[in-house]
Amino acid sequence: MTGILLLEQALNGLQFGLMLFLLAAGLTLVFGIMDMINLAHGSLYMVGAYLIATIAAASGSFWIGLAGGVAATAVIGVLLELTVLRRLYERDHLSQVLGTFAILLMANEAVRMVWGSQPVPMAMPAALSGPVALLPGFSYPAYRLFIIGVGLAVALLLYLLVTHTRVGMQVRAGASNREMAQAMGTNVRLLFTSLFAVGTALCAVAGGMLGPLLAVQVGMGESILILAFVVIVIGGIGSIRGALLGALLVGLVDTAGRTLVPVLFGQLLGPAAAATAGPAVASILIYVLMAGVLFWKPRGLFPSHG
Amino acid sequence: MSKHSSLRLAALAAAAVLALPATAADRVKVGLMSTLSGAGSGLGIDIRDGFQLAVKHAGGKLGGLPAEVIVADDQMSPDAAKQTADRLLKRDKVDFMTGIVFSNIMLAVAPPVFQSRTFYISANAGPSQLAGAQCNPYFFSASYQNDNMHEAVGKTVQARGVKKIALLAPNYPAGKDALAGFKRFYKGEIALETYTPLNQLDYGAELSQIRASGADAVYIFLPGGLGINFIKQFTSTGLNKEMKLFAPGFSADEDVIRAVGEPMLGIFNSSQWAHDMDNAANKRFVADFQKEYGRLPTLYAAQGYDAARLIDGAVKTVGGKIEDKAAVRKALEAAKFESVRGEFKFNTNHFPVQDYYLREVVKDAQGRVTNKTVGKVFDNHADAYAGDCKMPAETP
């Protein structure tokens, strides 16, 4: 029985981690290459989820919603980059934080104006709404397996893109030394606009995948953005490999913590302490993980700068 | 008109207003602060709609005085709620406050409300703290005490011979009250007791633990969107075929049923009210609520409606003199109004003593998935904390 519990929790952690990776991948490239802190990254995730939910509801198909919503969000991302974000690259981090935080607030209000303050319902595709038997006596929700599949596929695609293509080479060069890459003739501006489009599309995919599982609501980007930052700090800023590893670590530690910490507290301190302190400690576990990683590896697990 | 003369006119008008002697109130101001955005918004919206339906039924008045209902959103955040409450109390100078859904927000807002000597009529939150040692002459619950509904399910689950159960609630005051209430009447084995953060919407990890716990049944207290997510995810793991799901009325009310649909069928839940209760006040309320808003009311809507009717009755009893706090308190304690749940009376701690029913989610004659009352669990049930309450005889 415990073997199945561990397996199931590992799958849960994997699913959560891969979704974090979709968000962290775009964030880390922007941060790594342009040295730009983009707090509005979570807003694109939110806008993506809303667009996908709306198109899915209007067309009656989850898949049309996903395709349409991801494309529309990527366009919004590019427009945002061309009009506003582009002007922030040369500024210091404080201006970037203030500027993108303003965008975050405006995005929340804009979404509230268009869709209202109540969560928008989003259904998972009917074919994936049941359980799938993986082992005798162990079934797992089909939809979560689907999320894992999508996450792994995207991770593989990104890996091939970054390590086996010319664009990927430029991306890596830009991440480790922007000035040198520029001097060698890379058009960093163009590269960056396209990267931003990819990052935005990944956000939207994450929003669309998580929409039916969680709730499509105003402010949904903020809590997950913090986790995405934790992921890239753990993984090493600018590294896709680091983002993947960091995301999986955070996903697994968070899921395992929610299961194990209350049990551990229960055995050490009794049920009353487990009930009050257990959930609290479980929710700070990933920050403890981050502190630990930064203590031994101050630049993250796979730093890409110099 | 020159700039100076208009200034003078404004000054004169202001002086005239200030010079008016204080008279009996010409209207009743109610601050209805509730959760109107985010995962808990369905609950607040139902309270608001129920309250406003009662005001409409009374011709836009409460107790014969024109009613001004100021609606505000607490955003499910104690910090935002404290600021909004401050505005309602100090700037708008409301006579009554109502509407809060979540107990952590209620406990955060209670001190300033009581300090300002404003009556708070709870249309949902009923934390144990305010029922026991911290009971207050300015607090009245038109809903229930947090433990009550869970006590009713605990008794039902016990009576149905469930040997081993898994419990799940959010990590906040009402979550603690909920499971304490459940355990007061359930004597079987508890295979698992889990508290999740109040903003958590993904229950993957908890569902795995519930499966692994080997429980025969699971009891959840997850209000609003939390319950909707849990039940959908519960069904998608296939656990619904392995164990029975029990819930308080909160997690199996019409809002949850609307969102989840058929997988809800067969879920037993408890409530002090049901839309099929047979009394004149309830029939009118349910019919008009459907006509007005195009959906079946939830228990939150019923509580909102009753909160307004309680204020209406009290203001009528004091003849509109709402400045007389002692008289208003007496009138509220007497609770002279026709409740949609039939009889309504207050205990010494200003929490209701009332009946609790068992409802089952069924398909009704029209083919709708909805709740049906199937029995009564408690008669004239009081809460476990009233004994600790030393309610001051004088209103400070």
Side-chain angles (χ1 to χ4, degrees), chain B residues 4 53 59 73 75 92 96 98 113 116 131 168 231 253 264 279 287 324 334 336 341 354 358 386 393:
Chain B
H4 280 284
L53 180 65
D73 183 8
Q75 297 165 40
D92 299 324
F96 294 91
T98 183
V113 173
S116 71
L168 183 66
I231 295 170
D253 216 323
M264 299 287 299
N279 64 63
D324 186 347
K336 268 197 221 145
R341 62 197 101 168
Q354 58 193 353
L358 190 67

Side-chain angles (χ1 to χ4, degrees), chain B residues 102-136:
Chain B
F102 293 93
S103 290
N104 53 335
I105 295 175
M106 185 69 244
L107 290 172
V109 168
V113 173
F114 300 159
Q115 246 157 41
S116 71
R117 305 178 71 224
T118 306
F119 287 103
Y120 189 89
I121 314 297
S122 181
N124 191 58
S128 55
Q129 289 85 346
L130 293 177
Q134 297 173 40
C135 65
N136 193 287

Side-chain angles (χ1 to χ4, degrees), chain A residues 163-224:
Chain A
T163 57
H164 286 79
T165 63
R166 191 177 164 75
V167 176
M169 198 172 68
Q170 292 178 331
V171 167
R172 278 177 293 145
S176 40
N177 192 328
R178 179 158 42 122
E179 282 78 18
M180 186 58 81
Q182 240 158 346
M184 300 300 283
T186 302
N187 184 346
V188 175
R189 288 235 135 151
L190 178 68
L191 176 69
F192 186 68
T193 306
S194 15
L195 265 186
F196 203 82
V198 173
T200 310
L202 293 181
C203 280
V205 172
M209 296 277 102
L210 288 178
L213 217 48
L214 308 177
V216 180
Q217 59 181 331
V218 175
M220 63 191 276
E222 276 109 85
S223 47
I224 203 148

Side-chain angles (χ1 to χ4, degrees), chain A residues 259-291:
Chain A
T259 320
L260 299 179
V261 168
V263 175
L264 197 70
F265 271 53
Q267 278 166 358
L268 289 177
L269 307 164
T276 45
V281 172
S283 59
I284 60 165
L285 215 57
I286 52 168
Y287 303 101
V288 175
L289 169 77
M290 177 171 78

Side-chain angles (χ1 to χ4, degrees), chain A residues 1 5 8-9 12 15 112 117-119 122 129-131 139 141 144 212-215 217 255 258-259 275-276 279-280, chain B residues 36-39 41 45 171 176 193 195 200-206 208-209 211-212 229 232-233 235-238:
Chain A
M1 204 62 194
L5 176 64
E8 199 170 355
Q9 294 296 29
N12 285 333
Q15 177 245 307
R112 217 189 289 278
S117 10
Q118 282 86 53
M122 186 172 172
S129 63
S139 50
R144 285 185 200 268
L213 217 48
L214 308 177
Q217 59 181 331
T255 311
R258 268 150 62 189
T259 320
T276 45
Chain B
L36 302 174
S37 56
S41 57
I45 287 167
N171 192 21
K176 300 283 165 67
E193 182 174 345
Y195 295 92
Q200 182 180 317
L201 292 167
D202 185 349
Y203 297 96
E206 288 72 23
S208 315
Q209 286 171 267
R211 184 201 299 279
N229 276 15
K232 277 198 207 161
Q233 294 171 21
T235 320
S236 77
T237 57

Side-chain angles (χ1 to χ4, degrees), chain B residues 327-361:
Chain B
V328 173
R329 173 185 165 174
K330 260 214 189 82
L332 285 170
E333 280 170 348
K336 268 197 221 145
F337 73 104
E338 249 185 278
S339 167
V340 291
R341 62 197 101 168
E343 220 181 314
F344 186 97
K345 58 179 181 288
F346 280 119
N347 202 342
T348 48
N349 61 351
H350 294 178
F351 277 77
V353 177
Q354 58 193 353
D355 300 344
Y356 287 85
Y357 301 88
L358 190 67
R359 311 185 301 189
E360 187 185 358
V361 181

